Amino acid sequence: MKKTTMASLAAPFVLATGVAGISERLYQYAFKRVNQVPETSAEKQKYASVYYDYVKWLRDQPTETWMLHEDDPQQQLVATYLAATPASKQTVIISHGYKGNGETMANYAQLFHELGYNVLLPDDRAHGKSAGRYITFGWLDRLDYLDWLKRIINHDGEEVRIVLFGVSMGGATVEMMSGEQLPDQVRAIIADCGYSSIDDELVYLLKRNFHLPKYPFLPAVSAINRRRLGFNLNQVSSVAQLKRNHRPILFIHGEKDVFVPASMLEENYAATQGPKVKWIVPNATHAESFWVDPAAYQQHVRDFLQQYVVDSTPLPIAE
């Protein structure tokens, strides 16, 4: 009887220890910074050669390095700024994907450069040359981008027209920015395959990649994140932020995306309160919409910007 009682008392401890250990490993896997960009997925290897052509193009441009919190190595953030030629009063801030960096967005930088935009390419927290131990999946990055916006306005002038653009985690980042009190200079947003919330995304990936249930693992991972980064994962929601947005948004999503399912596009699209356009790209997987047909991608972006940035007058923004 004594052995049975001790075993039954120990069982919850063993279970909790197991959950804690697995949750810590999951947290490290998903949130810990990487200092090198991981290899792309197998289906995108066919684009590798042309991708590196874009990277070479960006490296050959006369760029500037911008910094935030330059005197604090623990908080320092780095971005690359590429001025338009000829000079322009239209600027895009491009938000990169999970475990990428600004340079991995070279193809989009060239697209906007060809459209006559100044381009800012930040490295998010825990990515590239920026400081940080843990990835925040856009939540704290959205606040950093408010500081980048101030820097753009100071550099390019009060009359600058700004576009927010992002892909994957970057798409979610600009969607989450949309719910903040943005300066009037921000005219439009383009979000390519952004997730609806990090809760939804992690639940989906827990099941798909690890065959694990939401409970008890997601709450445990969220508790770890709260201790280390100061916020609960259920706060990280594009949908909640988009409900406060009144700016025009172009949503882009690959029809065959199995990393951020297209159903998340529908949630984001339904949430936003401003003018909205969606383009679901046939046969495109996650973050593949540009690569499937770069010319069509540029045309959709151009048409949207022509309406809401180039030919627009300032919108009355209800904050």
Side-chain angles (χ1 to χ4, degrees):
M1 181 70 177
K2 192 171 188 180
K3 287 185 180 177
T4 305
T5 304
M6 289 181 68
S8 21
L9 288 172
F13 174 78
V14 172
L15 178 61
T17 304
V19 169
I22 293 170
S23 300
E24 177 63 30
R25 288 197 293 274
L26 287 170
Y27 187 81
Q28 292 294 329
Y29 174 82
F31 288 78
K32 188 177 179 180
R33 78 170 293 143
V34 293
N35 292 315
Q36 291 186 330
V37 177
E39 280 195 17
T40 189
S41 56
E43 72 267 9
K44 296 192 189 72
Q45 288 292 338
K46 59 182 175 286
Y47 306 121
S49 176
V50 67
Y51 164 77
Y52 285 110
D53 288 342
Y54 284 115
V55 171
K56 182 180 184 305
W57 171 85
L58 180 61
R59 290 176 179 176
D60 288 342
Q61 301 307 305
T63 58
E64 303 171 16
T65 298
W66 287 9
M67 290 187 181
L68 296 175
H69 319 301
E70 188 170 356
D71 297 327
D72 184 352
Q74 301 303 313
Q75 301 293 326
Q76 189 177 95
L77 299 173
V78 180
T80 298
Y81 179 82
L82 173 61
T85 49
S88 172
K89 287 298 183 182
Q90 296 176 164
T91 300
V92 62
I93 182 169
I94 296 180
S95 182
H96 64 75
Y98 177 64
K99 295 186 177 178
N101 57 44
E103 187 177 80
T104 63
M105 306 298 280
N107 54 314
Y108 303 103
Q110 188 183 83
L111 183 157
F112 281 96
H113 188 69
E114 290 177 350
L115 293 176
Y117 282 72
N118 307 303
V119 177
L120 186 71
L121 297 161
D123 289 352
D124 288 358
R125 296 183 185 209
H127 292 83
K129 296 177 182 178
S130 290
R133 293 181 61 193
Y134 296 107
I135 297 166
T136 79
F137 287 90
W139 188 243
L140 299 184
D141 306 301
R142 86 195 195 284
L143 304 178
D144 297 332
Y145 278 48
L146 297 180
D147 291 332
W148 287 126
L149 287 172
K150 292 175 186 175
R151 181 73 182 273
I152 288 170
I153 293 167
N154 183 60
H155 184 273
D156 295 343
E158 292 286 335
E159 64 273 32
V160 67
R161 298 181 179 198
I162 300 172
V163 176
L164 306 178
F165 174 90
V167 178
S168 189
M169 185 183 78
T173 301
V174 298
E175 288 166 346
M176 288 187 279
M177 284 180 73
S178 75
E180 301 302 313
Q181 191 165 358
L182 300 174
D184 291 342
Q185 286 86 351
V186 176
R187 296 301 186 87
I189 301 167
I190 302 174
D192 186 335
C193 61
Y195 38 78
S196 53
S197 73
I198 197 58
D199 255 18
D200 291 344
E201 180 64 11
L202 290 179
V203 167
Y204 176 76
L205 294 177
L206 275 173
K207 182 177 180 180
R208 182 175 181 272
N209 293 355
F210 301 104
H211 309 290
L212 291 173
K214 176 177 180 178
Y215 298 104
F217 298 105
L218 188 60
V221 170
S222 185
I224 294 169
N225 192 71
R226 185 173 62 251
R227 290 196 302 273
R228 293 181 186 166
L229 293 177
F231 62 90
N232 292 316
L233 295 184
N234 60 14
Q235 295 175 249
V236 186
S237 172
S238 299
V239 169
Q241 292 288 96
L242 285 163
K243 287 179 180 177
R244 296 196 288 270
N245 174 63
H246 293 268
R247 286 173 170 81
I249 299 190
L250 168 61
F251 295 97
I252 301 172
H253 216 103
E255 177 192 32
K256 294 186 176 179
D257 193 335
V258 296
F259 190 75
V260 176
S263 59
M264 292 191 179
L265 161 68
E266 301 303 335
E267 293 179 68
N268 290 334
Y269 184 83
T272 189
Q273 302 301 299
K276 51 190 173 181
V277 181
K278 63 181 172 181
W279 178 37
I280 299 175
V281 181
N283 300 314
T285 60
H286 183 66
E288 194 185 18
S289 296
F290 172 90
W291 302 102
V292 167
D293 190 341
Y297 195 101
Q298 186 181 68
Q299 190 60 53
H300 275 80
V301 169
R302 184 198 300 270
D303 291 346
F304 176 77
L305 296 177
Q306 190 68 37
Q307 181 175 1
Y308 292 110
V309 179
V310 179
D311 293 339
S312 72
T313 55
L315 292 170
I317 306 299
E319 302 289 7

